[in-house]
């Protein structure tokens, strides 16, 4: 019998985390189908990824709200089926007991929480996934260029990078589901490689950018010239409230803007707006307006409206990433894993943004590594 795999969620009491933990429990109990879980489709089902049944959850957060209550709120908001939180209450309480307060802890204390979680549960490995609130954009300091110098300044790093540092020091692979700086500092990359640890990020591709990464290559393939692409995003929920802060919205808009420059042949007039609309709750609306030019200069327009339940889109990807990252660690990957670009708006180590090509890379990598 192989040892179970740990999944440590930074921001473990947030909407994405609670939907992930509840969803894993529902899958384990056979209460739901793995809709939205890429790792539950061929060819991945035939590969030795750790089963969802074997995942044990823990995490860090700065709030105290208990998981069953958070899950009830998500059910009231229509994210989770009514009644589901009650059916998986034991699993929610078990995860709740493993979510450690993070406030005031230095990196050594965060590292100790991870090591203790792994040892107490006899886990084969623990994948750390950042699903905490997006931080304001951070300008890296030249002192972070090597591990040797970063080590001396490590407590002054943004929280996301302190968690990434703790993950690496505890010997854990790390995934950034947010656009925060996290592991994207040369000193942390050096540490990951030196410790033989894989990592991936950043910013889960769940909505508007997902659609963009399918539609933009279409224009390129048909030699149509995109002239402008304007996106308006209305967000509710904790993420929306957090992104109402312009500095945090800038970090998000930055990672959303990567796709077009890489996929389209010509420069395009692009804008991405993010606005908080509290009444939308856990829902998000993206309206994209695209102008393009065809044969003999004919002008045309494409518009789409995406109305997504953000946490329901994100949670299955968090489960996928936990399983793929555990697999990457098991097969000895170290440093960034560009083959996981499929999951991200702003993939570390890859400039490929076309969803189809990213998918082909993921399949090739996983099948070859297995
Ligand atoms: N839902 C999606 O589709 C999606 C897609 C891509 C990225 N994301 C990112 O995932 C993250 C989580 O989204 P959410 O909707 O769950 O937000 P949320 O506001 O519901 O949850 C965030 C959680 O992080 C905690 N937190 C904040 N600062 C922390 C810190 N310093 N240390 C530990 N915990 C901290 C909060 O207390 C909260 O529990 C956001 O950064 C969001 O941008 C979400």
């Amino acid at each position: 019998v192989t040892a179970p795999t740990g999944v440590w969620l930074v921001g473990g009491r947030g909407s994405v985390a609670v939907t992930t933990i509840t969803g894993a429990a529902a899958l384990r109990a056979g209460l739901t189908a793995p809709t939205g879980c890429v790792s539950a489709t061929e060819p991945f089902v035939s590969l030795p990824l750790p089963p969802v049944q074997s995942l044990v959850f823990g995490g860090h957060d700065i709030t105290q709200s208990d998981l069953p209550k958070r899950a009830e709120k998500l059910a009231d908001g229509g994210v989770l089926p009514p009644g589901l939180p009650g059916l998986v209450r034991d699993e929610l309480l078990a995860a709740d007991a493993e979510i450690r307060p993070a406030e005031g802890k230095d990196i050594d204390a965060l590292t100790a929480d991870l090591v203790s979680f792994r040892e107490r549960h006899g886990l084969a490995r623990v994948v750390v996934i950042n699903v905490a609130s997006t931080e304001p954009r951070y300008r890296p300091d030249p002192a972070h260029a090597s591990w040797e110098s970063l080590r001396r300044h490590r407590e002054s790093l943004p929280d996301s990078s302190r968690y990434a540092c703790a993950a690496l020091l505890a010997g854990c692979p790390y995934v950034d589901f947010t656009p925060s700086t996290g592991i994207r500092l040369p000193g942390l990359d050096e540490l990951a490689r030196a410790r033989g640890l894989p990592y991936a990020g950043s910013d889960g591709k769940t909505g508007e950018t997902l659609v963009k990464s399918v539609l933009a290559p279409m224009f390129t393939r048909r030699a149509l010239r995109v002239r402008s692409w304007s996106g308006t995003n209305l967000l509710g929920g904790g993420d929306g409230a957090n992104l109402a802060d312009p500095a945090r919205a800038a970090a998000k808009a930055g990672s959303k803007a990567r796709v077009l420059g890489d996929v389209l042949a010509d420069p395009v007039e692009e804008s991405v707006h993010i606005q908080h609309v509290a009444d939308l709750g856990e829902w998000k609306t993206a309206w994209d307006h695209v102008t393009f030019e065809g044969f003999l200069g004919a002008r045309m327009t494409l518009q789409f409206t995406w109305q997504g339940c953000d946490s329901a889109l994100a949670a299955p990807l968090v489960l996928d990433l936990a399983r793929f990252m555990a697999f990457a660690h098991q097969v000895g990957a170290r440093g960034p894993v560009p083959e996981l670009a499929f999951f991200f708006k702003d993939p570390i180590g890859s400039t490929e943004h076309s969803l189809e090509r990213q998918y082909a890379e993921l399949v090739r990598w996983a099948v070859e590594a297995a």
Side-chain angles (χ1 to χ4, degrees):
V1 183
T2 48
T5 297
V7 183
W8 189 268
L9 300 172
V10 178
R13 299 188 186 281
S15 300
V16 171
V18 176
T19 307
T20 302
I21 296 166
T22 310
L27 285 169
R28 201 175 298 139
L31 296 170
T32 192
T35 311
C37 294
V38 176
S39 57
T41 62
E42 287 293 356
F44 309 115
V45 272
S46 320
L47 304 181
L49 305 179
V52 173
Q53 282 74 2
S54 81
L55 304 180
V56 180
F57 292 92
H60 278 123
D61 206 308
I62 51 171
T63 62
Q64 308 302 325
S65 61
D66 74 87
L67 250 48
K69 268 200 207 120
R70 281 291 288 137
E72 287 296 348
K73 262 189 106 173
L74 289 170
D76 291 345
V79 179
L80 301 174
L84 179 60
L87 293 173
V88 298
R89 189 175 161 79
D90 289 350
E91 284 89 339
L92 289 172
L93 287 171
D96 194 75
E98 290 296 349
I99 297 180
R100 298 280 175 266
E103 250 164 346
K105 282 188 179 162
D106 63 13
I107 293 173
D108 288 344
L110 299 172
T111 307
D113 285 341
L114 284 164
V115 172
S116 155
F117 176 64
R118 184 172 55 215
E119 287 176 356
R120 279 182 293 106
H121 290 276
L123 303 169
R125 54 187 55 80
V126 176
V127 178
V128 175
I129 307 183
N130 181 19
V131 287
S133 313
T134 295
E135 293 170 350
R137 218 201 285 241
Y138 172 75
R139 194 182 301 239
D141 195 287
H144 304 146
S146 73
W147 167 239
E148 186 44 40
S149 61
L150 182 143
R151 197 159 56 93
R152 278 179 269 124
H153 302 98
R154 58 189 179 152
E155 293 301 343
S156 64
L157 295 175
D159 279 352
S160 61
S161 300
R162 293 171 62 254
Y163 288 115
C165 186
L168 299 175
L169 292 173
C172 302
Y174 175 88
V175 176
D176 211 325
F177 203 76
T178 82
S180 303
T181 307
I183 203 160
R184 290 195 302 186
L185 295 173
L188 292 177
D189 172 70
E190 187 188 325
L191 179 62
R193 290 173 198 268
R195 302 250 163 159
L197 293 167
Y199 68 87
S202 35
D203 204 5
K205 182 159 78 170
T206 55
E208 184 200 28
T209 315
L210 174 68
V211 182
K212 264 183 167 172
S213 70
V214 174
L215 291 179
M218 172 194 76
F219 288 106
T220 307
R221 277 287 161 269
R222 280 292 165 94
L224 295 166
R225 177 164 181 220
V226 176
R227 298 181 60 94
S228 75
W229 198 308
S230 321
T232 300
N233 294 267
L234 309 180
L235 272 71
D239 197 24
N242 184 54
L243 293 175
D245 168 5
R248 293 170 200 262
K252 191 61 130 184
S255 76
K256 276 174 162 290
R258 301 277 187 270
V259 178
L260 298 186
D262 283 312
V263 173
L264 297 175
D266 301 297
V268 51
E269 182 184 349
E270 185 182 10
S271 60
V272 178
H273 301 284
I274 299 175
Q275 201 174 323
H276 179 222
V277 180
D279 193 50
L280 288 180
E282 297 293 329
W283 265 258
K284 172 217 174 138
T285 296
W287 166 55
D288 277 39
H289 181 281
V290 184
T291 58
F292 63 101
E293 190 181 309
F295 199 41
L296 305 174
R299 296 296 189 91
M300 292 166 263
T301 304
L302 162 80
Q303 297 182 51
F304 70 80
T305 313
W306 169 271
Q307 289 175 285
C309 177
D310 254 5
S311 298
L313 290 161
L317 301 188
V318 173
L319 293 174
D320 284 335
L321 283 164
R323 301 181 68 205
F324 280 116
M325 201 34 120
F327 171 73
H329 187 223
Q330 194 182 321
V331 300
R334 58 170 65 195
V337 185
E339 293 86 354
L340 294 178
F342 174 73
F343 293 100
F344 299 108
K345 292 190 192 72
D346 186 11
I348 302 177
S350 166
T351 51
E352 182 55 77
H353 285 279
S354 152
L355 190 76
E356 269 316 297
R357 288 195 293 268
Q358 290 173 330
Y359 180 75
E361 258 308 278
L362 176 67
V363 171
R364 186 200 54 74
W365 167 75
V367 170
E368 273 175 20

